Amino acid sequence: MRSGRVIQVWLMCVLLGGVALAVPRAASSQAEDAAPVVSSVMEPMLVDQLIVKYRDEGKNEAFAPLSEQLERLSAHIGLAVEYVRPMGGGAHVLRLPSSLPVKEAERIAAHLSALPEIEYAEPDYVLHPALVPNDPNYGDQWHYFEPHGINLPQAWDVTIGITSVVVAVIDTGHRPHPDLASRIVGGYDFISIPSRAGDGDGRDSDPTDPGDWVSAGECYADSPARNSSWHGTHVAGTIGAVTNNGTGVAGVTWRGRLLSVRVLGKCGGSLADIVDGIYWSAGLSVPGVPMNTNPARVLNLSLGGPSPSCSTSLQAAISAVNAVGAVVVVAAGNSSQPASDFQPANCAGVITVGATNRNGVRASYSNYGAAVDISAPGGDLLDAVLSTGNAGSTAPGADNYQGKIGTSMAAPHVAGTVALMLSVKPSLNYALAEQLLRATAKPFGSGHSCTGSTTCGAGIVDAHAAVLAAQGFAPRSFLPVVLH
């Protein structure tokens, strides 16, 4: 297929033979907001007790009586503490006269720790069960909660997202999957070449995916036949499938909305169409296209193609959407080569995501190198990433849930995390998002090869730590203070 100056752009995923990983399930009509169990943002944390351990208690016959100990501790911090009970390991629980903010309790504990007879003192923190959704296939989404997943249950205890944050899925469009459709707030089909679009026309307001299957030789001489990928539907499901509705899978953000921007069709997509899709997604004007009334704060591009540098028009679009506060997340690529040789992974102003497997090491296909900012689960042939899909090999068939692998699957984990970060810090921009994601990343798994020229970024995205960092929570530390 030829159409002037068209740049071939590849889908950044590897299909598992187009087969569903899980048995297709009937879709539920239950509303997405059913039975929310936490608020959008964590409530203020209070502490009413301290844990204190003395040095060498029980070994000193002259150890002071309990009443004298309490009197000394109370005098030292200026608050009357009460004894509650002993603990395993030799520590003791003391009650404060009233509930205090965590930071204040930490300062008091730090002051007690400075006493020569105290081995340690710390707040009796109140912990909560990590939020787990009731979606039946959630247990198969190892990439959310296992040791080398992205710590989503803990992140959901802080926020499950907010509806005002829109994430653009710049991809093949979407299927109106019942576990996805209610999250879509509109979109546009930017494919300008009818033969590439596969839906009988050029650009229009319908971003649903008719299938991107091709016959042998359709894309270029001797090109192979390929079934429809339903790529955008899978990517969208990871970012924001309807969650806690008792059906199917969970998405990273429970409440963030999805903007479906169709730029990839048969044989890929043109750079010109992709660039227009980027501008439009962030609410910027594109000639001949109605304005987007739901501007996206996060743009996910699980696509790319070989190029020694970022194209001028693509870089201009990314810079423009950065300037209006949008964060662009892109896949590093699946060629097991330096990501700097592929665009948009090598563009400035993007968060480039490599892929790890279930063991937390670089997936064999993932691109690597200095252009990669961070990694996220992309899976491998034994352990794929589970999300929304479709059973049709060419035209759309029954909605189902499929396992796919690739940096395409890694990027939406990060895009969804950025959406959660925006829910607690609406002023978040690209520079701060990149900084916080890198600063809070988890270590790679044992035996990883992400060093030197084969670096895979700062580590594996940690949604919980990133959300807390965006919210302004500092790592816990005991600072020396003097209370009167």
Side-chain angles (χ1 to χ4, degrees):
M1 181 179 292
R2 304 174 63 89
S3 54
R5 295 179 59 82
V6 173
I7 290 184
Q8 182 74 29
V9 180
W10 301 337
L11 304 178
M12 293 296 188
C13 74
V14 182
L15 302 178
L16 294 182
V19 220
L21 181 68
V23 177
R25 296 173 181 265
S28 167
S29 59
Q30 190 171 348
E32 69 170 290
D33 291 335
V37 293
V38 294
S39 60
S40 291
V41 180
M42 180 185 289
E43 296 178 357
M45 294 183 292
L46 299 175
V47 170
D48 57 11
Q49 297 186 143
L50 300 175
I51 298 173
V52 176
K53 185 176 181 183
Y54 285 86
R55 299 182 189 277
D56 300 325
E57 183 178 356
K59 299 179 180 179
N60 186 347
E61 295 180 358
F63 199 77
L66 175 62
S67 58
E68 293 182 20
Q69 296 172 32
L70 293 178
E71 185 177 348
R72 174 171 165 75
L73 297 182
S74 297
H76 191 67
I77 62 176
L79 296 171
V81 295
E82 297 179 9
Y83 188 80
V84 178
R85 62 177 174 84
M87 293 174 56
H92 302 270
V93 180
L94 307 181
R95 181 175 293 114
L96 295 164
S98 63
S99 296
L100 297 175
V102 167
K103 287 185 179 296
E104 185 64 20
E106 288 177 342
R107 294 167 77 86
I108 292 171
H111 198 49
L112 286 178
S113 296
L115 289 171
E117 68 266 31
I118 301 298
E119 181 176 330
Y120 68 81
E122 62 185 359
D124 185 10
Y125 294 98
V126 179
L127 307 181
H128 302 275
L131 180 60
V132 174
N134 62 15
D135 306 84
N137 291 98
Y138 171 74
D140 294 322
Q141 294 181 284
W142 57 268
H143 34 99
Y144 288 173
F145 58 82
E146 285 195 355
H148 300 299
I150 68 171
N151 283 357
L152 264 185
Q154 294 85 355
W156 289 332
D157 280 341
V158 182
T159 179
I160 55 175
I162 53 177
T163 57
S164 60
V165 175
V166 176
V167 182
V169 183
I170 302 176
D171 214 290
T172 65
H174 73 284
R175 292 306 307 159
H177 194 294
D179 210 13
L180 184 64
S182 65
R183 309 302 303 281
I184 307 293
V185 291
Y188 205 82
D189 180 357
F190 278 90
I191 301 177
S192 56
I193 305 165
S195 58
R196 187 181 297 274
D199 58 1
D201 57 22
R203 291 185 171 182
D204 57 49
S205 59
D206 180 7
T208 54
D209 187 353
D212 57 357
W213 62 277
V214 293
S215 303
E218 186 171 354
C219 296
Y220 53 87
D222 300 321
S223 64
R226 180 173 55 80
N227 288 340
S228 291
S229 66
W230 315 116
H231 189 268
T233 297
H234 195 280
V235 169
T238 297
I239 296 170
V242 184
T243 304
N244 206 46
N245 65 336
T247 297
V249 295
V252 175
T253 172
W254 295 25
R255 298 195 184 280
R257 304 291 175 163
L258 303 173
L259 187 72
S260 181
V261 183
R262 187 169 184 249
V263 297
L264 302 177
K266 289 174 173 284
C267 308
S270 78
L271 179 63
D273 290 345
I274 293 166
V275 165
D276 280 351
I278 291 171
Y279 279 112
W280 186 85
S281 294
L284 302 176
S285 63
V286 174
V289 179
M291 289 296 292
N292 173 18
T293 57
N294 295 286
R297 292 296 309 279
V298 187
L299 282 62
N300 187 94
L301 284 85
S302 288
L303 50 80
S307 177
S309 61
C310 183
S311 297
T312 302
S313 58
L314 181 57
Q315 185 61 69
I318 292 168
S319 298
V321 301
N322 284 164
V324 296
V327 180
V328 182
V329 178
V330 306
N334 298 330
S335 301
S336 193
Q337 296 179 29
S340 57
D341 293 335
F342 295 79
Q343 63 173 340
N346 58 10
C347 296
V350 301
I351 297 171
T352 299
V353 185
T356 51
N357 63 20
R358 198 168 186 170
N359 295 319
V361 302
R362 181 174 71 89
S364 60
Y365 53 80
S366 180
N367 285 353
Y368 52 81
V372 178
D373 293 295
I374 197 165
S375 289
D380 58 25
L381 289 174
L382 295 177
D383 297 294
V385 170
L386 183 64
S387 186
T388 44
N390 191 276
S393 57
T394 54
D399 296 304
N400 66 6
Y401 301 93
Q402 295 183 345
K404 298 184 189 295
I405 67 175
T407 55
S408 274
M409 285 59 257
H413 285 83
V414 175
T417 297
V418 174
L420 294 179
M421 295 166 71
L422 279 161
S423 72
V424 299
K425 189 175 184 65
S427 63
L428 189 77
N429 60 14
Y430 152 71
L432 182 56
E434 181 190 42
Q435 175 188 337
L436 295 181
L437 286 167
R438 291 179 60 89
T440 58
K442 298 168 58 173
F444 294 108
S446 176
H448 72 85
S449 60
C450 294
T451 58
S453 61
T454 58
T455 181
C456 315
I460 300 171
V461 63
D462 185 330
H464 180 227
V467 166
L468 287 181
Q471 197 177 35
F473 276 55
R476 193 189 344 158
S477 59
F478 298 120
L479 303 178
V481 293
V482 176
L483 302 181
H484 300 285

